[in-house]
Amino acid sequence: MQRFSALSTRLAALLCSLAGLLILAGCSLNIEGKQSALDPKGPVAQNQYDIFIITLIVTVFLFITVGGALGWTMWKFRLRKGDDPRYIPPQTHGHPLIEIGLVAGSAALLVVIAIPTFGGILLKKNVPLHLVEDAIEVNVVGYQWWWAFEYPEHGFYTANEFVIPAGRAVKLNLRTRDVLHSFWVPKLAGKVDLIAGQTNFMWIKADEPGYFYGQCAEFCGDSHAYMLFRVIAKPEAEYRRWVRDQQRQTANLNPDTGPLYAPLLARDQWAYPEDKVLRGAEVFARACASCHSLNPASQTNGPNLAHFATRTTIAAGWMENEPDELFRWIREPDKVKPGNFMWTGFLRYNPETRTREVEMAGLDYYDLSDNEIEAVVAYLYTLR
Amino acid sequence: MATTADVENVTHAPAEPARTGLWKRPLKNTGLVGWLTTVDHKKIGILYAVGALFFLLLGGVEALIIRAQLMFPEQEVISARTYNQLFTMHGTTMIFLAVMPLSAAFFNYIMPLQIGARDVAFPRMNSLGLWCFIFGGIILNLSWFFPGGAPDVGWFAYAPLTDRQYSPDIGVDFWIMGLQILGIASLVGSFNFITTIINMRAPGLSMMRLPLFTWMTLITSFLVILAFPAITIALIQLMFDRHFGTFFFNVEGGGKPILWQHLFWIFGHPEVYILILPAMGIISEILPVFSRKPLFGYPLIVFSGAVIGFLGFAVWSHHMFTTGLGVIATTAFAFLTMLIAIPTGVKIFNWIGTMWGGRIRFTTPMLFSVGFIWMFMMGGFTGIMHSSPPVDAQQQDTYFVVAHFHYVLIGGSLFALFAGIYFWFPKVTGKMMSEFVGKIVFYVMFIGFNLAFFPMHILGMTGMPRRTHTYKSGMGWEQSNFWSTIGAMILGLGVALFVIQIIYTCFRGRRTNGDPWDARTLEWVTDSPPKEYNFAYTPVVHARDQLWENKHGPDSRKMERIAPGPHGIHMPDQSWWPLILAIGLFIACLGMVFHGEPAWWGEEARYGLGITICGLLITLGSIYGWALEGPGGFHLHPDPKEYDGALPAPESSHGHH
């Protein structure tokens, strides 16, 4: 008997600790975080959020009723101090009406969820008619561990962040060049996977201009955690200007018209000394150009860098686009993003030797000096 | 029952070892030989439990390292590669090496006792299952000690990441072969349990009188034999892709990576119910005992268990809502997934109905059971949320899902298995675990668990993806991750305390009588711990909760007992062959792992297939040895006092000698 007498204190302690947990959880409840699905900024995310709230209401209702019944039963029928532990309660075996009623009740609650669910499935798959007219199209291609974005209507590529017009729908065609990835910008839409051998479709729309965080959500190898990206929604006029800018060449790609890769940016806008920038162009041609295209209209094995200086982030959204960070990124890409091909070079498995062989050399091979890296940094900031 | 008994009586050897085999069947049933060659379901059950608890601790340590890495943003406690290996091995270990074998331990130990059987139908096969489990666990974990280390592709191992192009190291090969051999363990065990339950029930124990735990054993075993072939095929295909240049999952050769996902999840979703149904069975045994009432709505609980089993095969694509399935497929799988909430809810209603009007004693097993209902309910609610594909689009592959399935698998499965350990520990050892310490373990685990996993709901909804070895600071995830790590450590402390308590109780525990909880079912009728032959007499069952009726019921529902015949009780002989067969499979699997790898000493020589062939020859030889060693068996004569007052054995059992 004695050992059950302290039950009520124990239950009270339990409830207190549970309440404490919830408060603790509440403290850390930062629903407007940069990548929060609880802060929708577009119609797809809004729809998904609304259905989430419906499921939340249904389950909280169930928690209160079922949990309430459970808690009350635990309290009411517990063995109390002074009770005869040998007492035998009535040996009831069940009641068909109660059971059928509960089954029917839970089925009814599920219908409440099922109906908007069907609407949500349809919405995610198809751009609504009133938005389809002026929708733009972007092809998304996942690589280990970065993103390529192609604007097929305008014929240019960019990488790891892309700009969309606020208020217009964006149709996304999702493909991958290697393993599976998943495209996820929580504030704009739930994720869709990039599956090898097929093209998946989704659409997003940002209601207002904004800066949105996205991240790969399907495990894709060593540096999965570093495969981030940004979606930048701009007002219509700014978007049009951005598209026009992106189509422009930023470096000389024709050996007949001057030194290869020489910046086309006016000299008075260079932030670094001229000799440094030009030496950077040479280093770029030697060590970088085999993977990184400077032609906005073409895509090679690495991110297109034609408009590198206009981007806000580097290393697939992991670092801010600042000279110090860029220096560190080029100096030790393997430390920043383990397994990264920028260091090892692009690897291809050879079934004969059972190892992966370097197909296209990386910076490990070129072994750039700090001076050379500084020159490349200076050069890259002229690409805008 | 009758036919089995007849066959045994016809064929078994006299009370001396069989001599037809390569060597004598071992007689020594103590010491190392006794454990290695045992065919006793109770010893096998104990070995399963010890193995499972070891792997539970191993998987737990892996989890704590994961949590340490995530405690603060942008940390480098371990490398990205190590982190990926840890979460792969944590998941694989907990599912295949901790929770499944711990359930198997209960199936082995408790189920035959609950149906009044003397052992399982195929005692040597039972032993084979055990050794395959042990060697499967060893193969998986051997991977840590080789260059390249453990697999780092996730427990789901999605193609094409498992392709040689993206995972050239042998970790994935260890994973393939480890799972393959573990699949044999599960399949062998399941066929055995099904045969046992269908054929070896005590007289009068009709299907609708079976204890709920035995029912769930039966349903789970059917799930295993229907689900595991899918992963077996997928693993063989993957093995061929990696070793023999086929293109099942490789796009470049016309393969389809999505095929892997379908094959994996048509196994993987029933697997979820393989993990939870035994837990539900355990809860359904404990709640009536400590409420002093029979299970509320027994037929409906049995039926809903079966419905869950059926529907479990029709919902696998809800793991793939984000893979670009069509509208029809997505909708169908969503609605079927919602349907499965109904039988699950039925169980919860009926558990509450069982406690309703009872006289509830909050012992440690009962606390864990009630904790199970609360936590499983929470996990069920989040499950309802992502049954809706639009909601799932935001939750899939985030920490929300991590929270969901840990509520179902720790708060659910593991709490129930711990409840079962506290409940049946006196049955197995004859010793009581301290109630005081047990309650401390429960509260520490309960608080630690909720602190660790509740914040993950918020992490997921605010955008933190799973399987990321670190995260940027300033994303709003710092606090939740910090408290989650603290919670995981508290949970780890609770589990450590539990293991210490078990070891302490084994040596120093207070002795108890056969029925310390005033229980209701047949396993408590016999001694604690039970003798080798379980029951000295054959019980004749007249009611569902037979022990309860024995104690409190009318005479018409009391159990009858039939004394053994003049030749005593027939017992199976021990055997070396299951162990040797498992060693053969182990060698074959290791050969396959190293197939085509350059030799350790760095020469050009390739080996592997040779080792595999040697292993398969050992396996084949063992099958012959097994078949040729004869049925064996011997007779035991229990002290007549043990079946004092029992009815005499029927004439038929005298006839053959």
Side-chain angles (χ1 to χ4, degrees):
Chain A
M1 266 329 293
Q2 192 117 30
R3 60 176 197 242
F4 305 117
S5 61
L7 176 74
S8 47
T9 25
R10 283 215 193 87
L11 274 179
L14 186 63
L15 288 176
C16 287
S17 51
L18 262 183
L21 280 173
L22 289 177
I23 291 165
L24 208 71
C27 288
S28 55
L29 194 62
N30 177 11
I31 60 164
E32 298 197 343
K34 289 174 180 166
Q35 203 162 293
S36 174
L38 298 175
D39 184 27
K41 298 290 187 202
V44 181
Q46 183 67 49
N47 169 267
Q48 291 164 346
Y49 173 80
D50 292 343
I51 303 171
F52 169 68
I53 294 298
I54 293 172
T55 64
L56 190 65
I57 292 168
V58 168
T59 50
V60 167
F61 169 76
L62 284 171
F63 186 80
I64 291 169
T65 49
V66 182
L70 175 57
W72 192 79
T73 310
M74 286 168 62
W75 183 255
K76 176 82 165 58
F77 299 108
R78 74 192 191 279
L79 181 74
R80 288 158 221 251
K81 200 173 176 181
D83 283 350
D84 174 13
R86 303 211 57 80
Y87 165 76
I88 297 179
Q91 302 288 296
T92 52
H93 288 273
H95 195 294
L97 272 185
I98 297 178
E99 290 166 34
I100 292 168
L102 288 170
V103 170
S106 26
L109 276 178
L110 290 174
V111 174
V112 174
I113 299 174
I115 292 168
T117 289
F118 188 56
I121 293 171
L122 291 177
L123 179 72
K124 193 183 174 191
K125 286 272 175 193
N126 304 292
V127 187
L129 282 178
H130 68 282
L131 291 171
V132 116
E133 279 290 288
D134 63 347
I136 68 160
E137 197 167 347
V138 176
N139 294 334
V140 178
V141 184
Y143 292 74
Q144 277 182 324
W145 292 275
W146 62 278
W147 304 82
F149 300 107
E150 181 196 3
Y151 285 68
E153 293 146 324
H154 305 291
F156 68 87
Y157 292 87
T158 181
N160 297 324
E161 53 188 62
F162 66 109
V163 174
I164 60 171
R168 282 166 71 182
V170 182
K171 296 188 279 186
L172 302 174
N173 304 309
L174 309 168
R175 297 186 192 93
T176 170
R177 282 290 296 275
D178 38 53
V179 300
L180 308 190
H181 304 281
S182 191
F183 181 93
W184 188 33
V185 199
K187 291 195 182 192
L188 296 182
K191 63 193 75 59
V192 173
D193 299 347
L194 284 58
I195 311 255
Q198 72 186 59
T199 303
N200 278 346
F201 174 80
M202 72 183 288
W203 68 280
I204 54 175
K205 171 178 167 277
D207 292 331
E208 304 290 333
Y211 187 80
F212 302 106
Y213 287 75
Q215 187 164 357
C216 173
E218 182 65 84
F219 179 65
C220 56
D222 285 346
S223 279
H224 166 55
Y226 296 131
M227 191 170 162
L228 284 52
F229 64 96
R230 305 285 192 275
V231 182
I232 302 160
K234 295 192 170 179
E236 188 63 31
E238 276 183 55
Y239 165 73
R240 283 171 194 274
R241 197 177 322 132
W242 180 83
V243 167
R244 220 171 33 243
D245 281 347
Q246 293 288 313
Q247 287 167 292
R248 196 167 36 78
Q249 302 283 351
T250 56
N252 176 39
L253 301 174
N254 183 354
D256 300 338
T257 59
L260 196 60
Y261 298 129
L264 298 179
L265 189 69
R267 297 235 164 162
D268 56 344
Q269 291 182 43
W270 294 7
Y272 293 88
E274 187 175 323
D275 58 329
K276 202 173 193 178
V277 170
L278 292 178
R279 211 155 66 81
E282 286 164 29
V283 176
F284 187 92
R286 177 163 60 88
C288 312
S290 60
C291 294
H292 293 285
S293 171
L294 291 186
N295 179 357
S298 80
Q299 176 61 57
T300 43
N301 268 341
N304 186 305
L305 297 180
H307 290 268
F308 174 83
T310 65
R311 298 200 190 133
T312 58
T313 60
I314 53 175
W318 181 250
M319 301 159 110
E320 299 306 310
N321 191 358
E322 287 160 5
D324 292 350
E325 295 278 78
L326 182 57
F327 179 82
R328 186 160 81 89
W329 172 224
I330 299 174
R331 187 157 191 260
E332 41 185 32
D334 59 321
K335 299 242 172 62
V336 176
K337 280 170 88 161
N340 185 352
F341 302 131
M342 183 157 146
W343 180 252
T344 58
F346 192 73
L347 304 172
R348 168 72 55 188
Y349 179 75
N350 181 345
E352 290 302 310
T353 58
R354 294 254 167 180
T355 49
R356 292 198 295 183
E357 289 161 1
V358 178
E359 203 174 73
M360 225 174 258
L363 293 180
D364 182 26
Y365 170 80
Y366 290 108
D367 194 23
L368 301 182
S369 69
D370 283 4
N371 268 338
E372 288 173 314
I373 296 172
E374 276 171 18
V376 170
V377 169
Y379 169 70
L380 285 172
Y381 283 116
T382 64
L383 301 175
R384 58 188 166 97
Chain B
M1 179 71 206
T3 48
T4 316
D6 287 346
V7 169
E8 280 183 4
N9 278 325
V10 173
T11 55
H12 73 66
E16 59 185 57
R19 292 173 189 285
T20 45
L22 194 56
W23 51 60
K24 279 188 202 172
R25 292 178 79 148
L27 287 174
K28 191 164 169 282
N29 66 356
T30 52
L32 190 61
V33 174
W35 285 100
L36 291 179
T37 63
T38 187
V39 292
D40 179 354
H41 74 98
K42 298 180 288 297
K43 280 183 165 178
I44 291 173
I46 290 169
L47 286 174
Y48 259 113
V50 171
L53 284 176
F54 169 78
F55 285 118
L56 179 76
L57 291 181
L58 188 65
V61 170
E62 286 162 357
L64 288 178
I65 302 173
I66 289 173
R67 279 317 317 169
Q69 162 71 9
L70 293 177
M71 193 167 184
F72 300 103
E74 295 176 42
Q75 277 201 115
E76 284 192 47
V77 177
I78 47 174
S79 71
R81 172 70 64 93
T82 311
Y83 180 92
N84 297 342
Q85 290 171 329
L86 282 172
F87 77 67
T88 303
M89 289 300 284
H90 168 72
T92 310
T93 301
M94 287 306 197
I95 289 167
F96 293 101
L97 303 179
V99 175
M100 276 183 79
L102 204 49
S103 301
F106 284 111
F107 296 164
N108 262 301
Y109 201 104
I110 302 300
M111 180 273 287
L113 291 169
Q114 282 196 328
I115 63 170
R118 296 227 159 91
D119 205 319
V120 291
F122 310 114
R124 287 179 294 175
M125 247 167 85
N126 207 14
S127 168
L128 175 65
L130 168 75
W131 296 117
C132 283
F133 152 57
I134 301 279
F135 284 118
I138 291 174
I139 288 189
L140 264 177
N141 283 286
L142 270 182
S143 59
W144 288 111
F145 303 103
F146 286 88
D152 58 347
V153 292
W155 89 279
F156 48 93
Y158 274 5
L161 188 60
T162 47
D163 192 271
R164 289 256 179 203
Q165 164 68 17
Y166 307 107
S167 299
D169 296 325
I170 54 176
V172 179
D173 301 309
F174 275 108
W175 183 83
I176 294 171
M177 297 324 295
L179 251 56
Q180 207 64 289
I181 202 168
L182 286 169
I184 296 176
S186 304
L187 286 167
V188 161
S190 297
F191 283 114
N192 208 349
F193 298 137
I194 292 172
T195 316
T196 307
I197 295 172
I198 291 182
N199 293 304
M200 297 178 67
R201 283 167 286 129
L205 186 56
S206 62
M207 290 306 273
M208 288 314 272
R209 281 178 182 166
L210 278 186
L212 229 291
F213 177 71
T214 298
W215 255 116
M216 291 305 130
T217 307
L218 182 66
I219 294 171
T220 307
S221 301
F222 271 109
L223 288 186
V224 168
I225 63 172
L226 294 173
F228 267 77
I231 184 109
T232 305
I233 291 164
L235 289 169
I236 288 173
Q237 291 177 333
L238 182 58
M239 184 182 91
F240 268 74
D241 269 12
R242 285 180 63 85
H243 287 279
F244 304 116
T246 56
F247 296 98
F248 287 105
F249 307 116
N250 188 335
V251 179
E252 284 169 32
K256 266 204 151 333
I258 200 81
L259 172 66
W260 171 269
Q261 295 194 23
H262 282 291
L263 284 172
F264 185 82
W265 287 117
I266 203 167
F267 147 79
H269 199 76
E271 172 68 20
V272 172
Y273 296 107
I274 291 167
L275 299 174
I276 197 69
L277 287 176
M280 291 173 162
I282 292 171
I283 296 309
S284 305
E285 297 294 320
I286 293 174
L287 291 173
V289 169
F290 296 107
S291 307
R292 296 176 72 76
K293 271 185 65 205
L295 200 59
F296 187 88
Y298 171 96
L300 199 61
I301 292 198
V302 171
F303 184 65
S304 53
V307 170
I308 290 174
F310 275 112
L311 281 180
F313 283 97
V315 296
W316 79 90
S317 281
H318 71 210
H319 297 267
M320 301 163 58
F321 280 154
T322 61
T323 57
L325 297 171
V327 170
I328 304 290
T330 306
T331 311
F333 280 106
F335 290 175
L336 281 166
T337 305
M338 289 176 191
L339 269 188
I340 220 166
I342 296 176
T344 316
V346 162
K347 293 211 171 208
I348 291 177
F349 299 146
N350 282 288
W351 289 326
I352 298 174
T354 305
M355 290 158 70
W356 186 284
R359 180 68 50 104
I360 304 170
R361 285 178 293 160
F362 283 98
T363 57
T364 308
M366 189 63 173
L367 281 176
F368 271 104
S369 300
V370 173
F372 165 92
I373 304 179
W374 280 106
M375 296 301 99
F376 181 72
M377 195 162 69
M378 292 280 292
F381 289 159
T382 48
I384 292 176
M385 290 179 183
H386 39 242
S387 72
S388 171
V391 182
D392 181 69
Q394 293 285 16
Q395 294 174 343
Q396 165 85 0
D397 277 326
T398 71
Y399 267 87
F400 194 90
V401 174
V402 179
H404 159 74
F405 69 75
H406 281 95
Y407 266 85
V408 179
L409 289 183
I410 297 183
S413 297
L414 201 63
F415 274 22
L417 290 167
F418 276 31
I421 291 175
Y422 278 101
F423 182 60
W424 279 308
F425 199 83
K427 179 80 248 164
V428 176
T429 61
K431 291 169 182 172
M432 284 295 277
M433 290 174 78
S434 155
E435 276 292 290
F436 177 73
V437 180
K439 284 174 184 169
I440 292 177
V441 169
F442 170 74
Y443 285 112
V444 171
M445 280 182 66
F446 188 82
I447 291 168
F449 167 72
N450 278 288
L451 185 57
F453 292 100
F454 194 82
M456 288 187 186
H457 292 114
I458 298 152
L459 276 176
M461 288 313 293
T462 53
M464 182 163 168
R466 293 168 76 177
R467 302 166 186 143
T468 45
H469 74 276
T470 189
Y471 50 97
K472 265 174 96 72
S473 57
M475 299 298 282
W477 302 330
E478 287 91 339
Q479 277 178 310
S480 293
N481 270 306
F482 175 79
W483 287 109
S484 178
T485 301
I486 300 287
M489 285 166 178
I490 296 174
L491 178 60
L493 191 72
V495 176
L497 197 59
F498 168 77
V499 171
I500 293 169
Q501 190 193 0
I502 283 194
I503 295 170
Y504 176 86
T505 313
C506 281
F507 294 103
R508 293 283 184 82
R510 182 167 57 82
R511 291 227 152 262
T512 176
N513 65 346
D515 179 21
W517 306 114
D518 196 9
R520 308 176 73 90
T521 39
L522 210 54
E523 76 270 26
W524 297 98
V525 169
T526 186
D527 306 330
S528 301
K531 296 212 172 58
E532 205 180 339
Y533 45 82
N534 291 354
F535 295 88
Y537 45 83
T538 305
V540 181
V541 175
H542 290 294
R544 198 175 280 158
D545 288 346
Q546 188 58 63
L547 176 57
W548 179 265
E549 300 293 349
N550 287 356
K551 290 184 284 196
H552 306 289
D555 282 347
S556 64
R557 297 166 72 85
K558 285 195 170 37
M559 184 179 86
E560 291 167 289
R561 301 180 299 165
I562 301 173
H567 299 288
I569 297 169
H570 175 244
M571 299 297 297
D573 264 333
Q574 300 180 157
S575 175
W576 283 105
W577 291 114
L579 177 62
I580 298 171
L581 202 164
I583 290 173
L585 285 173
F586 174 74
I587 293 170
C589 287
L590 273 189
M592 212 47 240
V593 169
F594 293 113
H595 165 247
E597 288 299 317
W600 280 314
W601 51 92
E603 290 172 25
E604 283 300 300
R606 301 276 174 79
Y607 57 96
L609 278 186
I611 301 179
T612 302
I613 290 165
C614 288
L616 288 176
L617 285 177
I618 296 176
T619 307
L620 202 65
S622 310
I623 293 172
Y624 272 95
W626 180 315
L628 293 178
E629 74 178 343
F634 58 94
H635 288 99
L636 281 179
H637 294 275
D639 186 344
K641 269 186 269 177
E642 283 194 62
Y643 51 88
D644 194 24
L647 303 169
E651 277 302 310
S652 65
S653 69
H654 297 242
H656 302 294
H657 294 284

